[in-house]
Amino acid sequence: MNSEILNIPDIHVGNMIIDYLKSHDRTQSYLARVLEMNVANLNKILKKKSMETERLFEISMKLDYNFFAVFGNDLNLTDAGTYKITMPELGLHIERRMRDLRMTQMEFEAKTGIRRSDVNRILKKVSFDTDKLRIISDALNYNFFKDFYSAKDDPMAEQQNEQSNMGMILRLEELAGENRLQKQE
């Protein structure tokens, strides 16, 4: 996870999706159908400025458009065939970045406004509100939206996916060990 100068756009996610639909001659009814939800629920979701990354991932998959690349300022990787999209273990990525920066939970709280009592819960999450992920990205000087995608033929992305998978396996082993300890008590 490299440090970089961040310039994550402040995007109204619902409007971004509506704009995409209009530019591709699709309706909100179409999106509601492919998401298997009613239009009223979809309209509620699209009126909000932010949404859970899990939902944005689903919409990206259904529309075959990489909305995460807009947050990553990689507009050349938005259209089908130019990218691979994956659902990363964000909590693990955030925890790893904190460790790399040697950032304490108290420092994380000061930079993000997220209470220390909530940090452990957050580090176990896989989906985040897009606005909260922007705040965390800024605090840790790393664009976590870029963890959702890579260029189609990027060998570094394959290596990062393998490292991410190893990280998940190690974290699962760690949780299993904690679980065994709790059962022994």
Side-chain angles (χ1 to χ4, degrees), residues 4-185:
E4 58 187 66
I5 296 173
L6 295 183
N7 185 22
I8 303 172
D10 187 11
I11 297 171
H12 187 294
V13 179
N15 287 345
M16 174 177 61
I17 293 167
I18 290 168
D19 290 345
Y20 171 86
L21 291 170
K22 287 178 184 174
S23 70
H24 288 79
D25 295 321
R26 295 194 176 144
T27 64
Q28 290 178 35
S29 297
Y30 166 80
L31 182 56
R33 261 192 322 280
V34 298
L35 293 174
E36 299 176 2
M37 66 171 45
N38 67 48
V39 176
N41 285 343
L42 178 63
N43 286 335
K44 287 179 192 174
I45 291 169
L46 296 179
K47 283 182 182 177
K48 296 179 182 175
K49 181 182 181 301
S50 63
M51 72 174 53
E52 286 291 313
T53 54
E54 191 170 46
R55 172 75 68 188
L56 187 58
F57 179 83
E58 178 185 15
I59 292 170
S60 292
M61 295 296 289
K62 297 290 185 179
L63 293 178
D64 210 9
Y65 185 82
N66 183 3
F67 290 102
F68 295 99
V70 177
F71 287 100
N73 291 308
D74 288 322
L75 298 180
N76 58 323
L77 295 176
T78 56
D79 293 320
T82 61
Y83 63 88
K84 293 179 192 172
I85 191 168
T86 58
M87 187 68 181
E89 294 285 334
L90 282 176
L92 288 175
H93 291 214
I94 291 167
E95 182 177 28
R96 190 176 310 131
R97 181 66 179 166
M98 286 175 65
R99 218 177 341 198
D100 290 348
L101 295 172
R102 292 181 175 89
M103 181 181 284
T104 66
Q105 289 185 1
M106 190 181 309
E107 292 168 324
F108 184 78
E109 176 184 31
K111 286 188 170 208
T112 62
I114 297 169
R115 293 188 315 254
R116 245 184 318 161
S117 59
D118 293 334
V119 173
N120 283 335
R121 184 179 47 79
I122 281 174
L123 296 178
K124 292 179 176 127
K125 289 181 69 171
V126 293
S127 183
F128 286 79
D129 176 86
T130 53
D131 278 349
K132 188 168 279 189
L133 190 56
R134 278 185 69 247
I135 291 167
I136 292 169
S137 291
D138 285 340
L140 299 178
N141 196 33
Y142 179 82
N143 190 333
F144 289 99
F145 291 97
K146 291 185 174 211
D147 289 353
F148 284 88
Y149 65 92
S150 61
K152 194 81 169 188
D153 300 318
D154 183 358
M156 284 300 291
E158 293 299 321
Q159 183 181 359
Q160 287 174 339
N161 283 339
E162 287 176 25
Q163 288 174 348
S164 180
N165 288 341
M166 273 309 287
M168 284 186 273
I169 290 168
L170 292 172
R171 179 70 173 144
L172 287 171
E173 289 172 353
E174 187 179 294
L175 290 172
E178 289 174 13
N179 193 22
R180 280 191 295 275
L181 286 174
Q182 287 179 350
K183 285 182 180 179
Q184 290 174 356
E185 293 176 351

